[in-house]
Amino acid sequence: MTALLNGPLSRDILKLASPVFFGTLSQTIFYAVDTAMLGRVGVEALAAAGIGWFVVWVFGSSLMAIEVGAQSLVARRFGEGDWEACGGLLDNTLAFAVISGFLFSVAGYLFAPAIFPYLSDDIKVVEYGIDYLKYSFLSIFFFLVIASFRGFFDGLGQTHLFMKVAIVMNISNIVFDYVLIFGKFGFPRLEVKGAAIASLISSFIGAAYFFGISFSNRFVRRFRYLSRYQFNPAILNSIMRLALPAMIRVFFTMAGLTTFLWIVGRIGNVELAASNILMTLSSFTFLAGYGFAVAAATMVSQNLGKGNAEIAESYGWETVKLGLLCMGFLGALFILFPGIILEIFTDQKTVIETGKNVLILFGIIQFFDAINLILSHALQGAGYTKWVMKAEGFVVWFLFLPAAYILSLVFGFGLYGAWLSMFAYTLIIGVTMLWKFKEGKWKEIEM
């Protein structure tokens, strides 16, 4: 594979992908530390935060897909050399972030006491969870602001800026977690509520830091954003035409994975425990591949803006090669050492034995997942967000989930049947994205 790589193209891709990797890595480290701290509070605290985080993430990540539309359009306008249009895109993306973020955060804060009792029967978990949900919903406002800036700067190819913001934000989150969860340095011991407030404070710090970075003279002089702000419904509409399908895609994909875990939970607790480990491993493989996905979207869109459709396609294929190398390496480790890897996460022999063969299948999945992750983002960067949404929505809800239910519960293949359907899903969607990208009609889209 390395012999097939194009040196100059690979260097450009790695320059964009590496900061995304380290920024996302800092987020992964934060979640691990956050979980470890709450684990010292108690099982109920950990359960409440886990449930609460997932609820906020399902809705929050859907809204934050606004960055897909922003990144695609900014990259295209940047490729065309239209600096002022790039600035106008940031202005109007921020308008969406501020308005929708305010409404969503306030509504979430007010309705949290009514929502969480439906998520758990444990009184203590509900008590913890309401506080966690209230303050976590408030964080969405600042995360949307961060997503707006990220979409803009990623579209320019300045992916290192979000890396800086992510590292500062996650370090501050860990510090405030320690102080507020355990009540250090004279602060009250707030436990789960403290974790949510720490996230709120750190998201504010992240948004403020991005604002500070954005006022660098080299950016303001060139793109003229914020200083002469003008809301333009036509610009916002162009962003939403691309972003809305991405938002719907994220929401229904997350809902699909939740449904998949519900199906696995009906098989048995051991099977659910093994699947949770695999989902944790998938966060690491996603971490490895997401930087390449962002790089693919940026390079494809920028070169389409320059009128270099063939170069855009070359960047797409080169990114797939790099992604296959990276995610494929992790997949090979899962195939070769399933037992050793599972033992890192649990000492329960039944879980290890149950998960071994499934982890081997999961390793094979990584090769197709790399193709799907990277080429779906490349197509979105070209403006094919609606097509990607329809393709993934159809495969998830009409093929993957019905197959998971039938194979595991009706035909009795259990956990292996459920994950066999996951394999079929990644194979089908990966081949579909491969076919669509190779077809080349995305080169003709005007944005």
Side-chain angles (χ1 to χ4, degrees):
M1 179 73 77
T2 53
L4 299 175
L5 294 176
N6 182 308
L9 297 186
S10 291
R11 282 193 292 274
D12 289 343
I13 293 164
L14 289 171
K15 185 178 178 181
L16 292 178
S18 299
V20 178
F21 171 82
F22 287 110
T24 311
L25 176 63
S26 73
Q27 189 71 35
T28 303
I29 292 170
F30 155 68
Y31 285 131
V33 174
D34 188 59
T35 300
M37 288 188 189
L38 286 172
R40 268 92 182 145
V41 175
V43 174
E44 294 85 359
L46 204 56
I51 296 169
W53 175 85
F54 191 81
V55 171
V56 173
W57 183 244
V58 166
F59 292 99
S61 62
S62 302
L63 285 171
M64 285 187 282
I66 185 70
E67 72 182 57
V68 172
Q71 180 187 352
S72 301
L73 285 167
V74 168
R76 182 69 70 96
R77 299 295 171 260
F78 182 77
E80 294 167 352
D82 193 342
W83 316 135
E84 194 165 324
C86 291
L89 287 164
L90 175 59
D91 287 344
N92 286 274
T93 306
L94 282 170
F96 170 84
V98 170
I99 295 170
S100 63
F102 175 80
L103 294 174
F104 186 86
S105 295
V106 171
Y109 182 88
L110 294 176
F111 287 104
I115 294 172
F116 209 94
Y118 290 99
L119 305 176
S120 175
D121 296 326
D122 189 296
I123 295 174
K124 191 66 175 177
V125 170
V126 171
E127 181 185 335
Y128 276 138
I130 289 172
D131 281 338
Y132 187 88
L133 207 55
K134 285 167 65 176
Y135 291 98
S136 294
F137 269 123
L138 293 180
S139 301
I140 292 298
F141 176 86
F142 299 111
F143 279 118
L144 279 173
V145 171
I146 292 168
S148 300
F149 279 115
R150 182 180 185 177
F152 174 74
F153 285 112
D154 281 0
L156 300 180
Q158 303 286 327
T159 56
H160 66 285
L161 296 180
F162 173 73
M163 177 190 71
K164 293 180 179 179
V165 170
I167 291 172
V168 168
M169 183 168 62
N170 291 317
I171 289 174
S172 65
N173 208 335
I174 290 170
V175 171
F176 283 109
D177 260 349
Y178 177 72
V179 169
L180 297 176
I181 290 174
F182 301 114
K184 302 295 182 179
F185 307 113
F187 285 87
R189 181 184 173 93
L190 298 177
E191 299 184 341
V192 177
K193 182 179 180 180
I197 293 175
S199 179
L200 176 60
I201 295 170
S202 65
S203 64
F204 167 76
I205 291 172
Y209 186 36
F210 235 150
F211 259 110
I213 290 174
S214 71
F215 280 109
S216 168
N217 284 334
R218 69 188 177 106
F219 293 124
V220 171
R221 282 201 304 266
R222 191 175 190 182
F223 301 105
R224 298 187 175 185
Y225 48 73
L226 297 178
S227 58
R228 35 188 260 168
Y229 173 77
Q230 185 175 5
F231 176 72
N232 188 326
I235 294 176
L236 185 57
N237 183 55
S238 67
I239 297 169
M240 293 306 298
R241 267 203 318 271
L242 295 176
L244 187 59
M247 293 176 178
I248 296 171
R249 177 198 178 199
V250 170
F251 180 84
F252 281 107
T253 300
M254 292 290 289
L257 290 175
T258 305
T259 304
F260 174 74
L261 288 175
W262 174 81
I263 292 170
V264 172
R266 297 196 64 182
I267 302 170
N269 289 334
V270 172
E271 289 79 4
L272 183 58
S275 291
N276 282 333
I277 293 173
L278 266 62
M279 287 298 186
T280 301
L281 288 171
S282 73
S283 68
F284 288 100
T285 58
F286 177 83
L287 171 69
Y290 185 63
F292 294 116
V294 171
T298 297
M299 297 309 293
V300 164
S301 190
Q302 282 190 3
N303 281 283
L304 286 176
K306 294 174 184 177
N308 299 329
E310 298 310 311
I311 295 177
E313 183 176 7
S314 296
Y315 271 111
W317 292 126
E318 193 70 14
T319 312
V320 169
K321 294 176 193 175
L322 289 168
L324 281 170
L325 271 175
C326 191
M327 293 180 70
F329 172 74
L330 293 174
L333 292 179
F334 300 153
I335 294 168
L336 295 172
F337 310 106
I340 294 172
I341 291 171
L342 287 169
E343 285 172 4
I344 296 172
F345 293 90
T346 182
D347 58 358
Q348 300 296 310
K349 297 298 182 183
T350 53
V351 175
I352 294 170
E353 289 303 316
T354 300
K356 269 186 182 179
N357 288 336
V358 180
L359 186 53
I360 293 171
L361 184 62
F362 182 71
I364 300 170
I365 284 172
Q366 300 315 305
F367 293 89
F368 300 104
D369 205 26
I371 295 170
N372 173 38
L373 178 62
I374 292 166
L375 290 185
S376 66
H377 277 75
L379 289 167
Q380 287 184 144
Y384 253 40
T385 56
K386 187 179 291 186
W387 185 89
V388 171
M389 174 200 71
K390 289 178 179 178
E392 183 139 15
F394 178 82
V395 175
V396 168
W397 287 94
F398 292 98
L399 297 177
F400 165 48
L401 292 176
Y405 185 87
I406 292 168
L407 288 176
S408 62
L409 297 174
V410 178
F411 288 171
F413 292 119
L415 184 64
Y416 200 75
W419 280 92
L420 194 61
S421 71
M422 178 72 81
F423 168 75
Y425 154 61
T426 54
L427 172 63
I428 293 169
I429 198 68
V431 170
T432 301
M433 295 302 166
L434 194 67
W435 162 73
K436 197 64 179 178
F437 191 78
K438 186 173 176 57
E439 182 189 44
K441 288 185 179 179
W442 53 269
K443 300 175 190 176
E444 304 166 7
I445 297 176
E446 297 291 333
M447 291 196 297

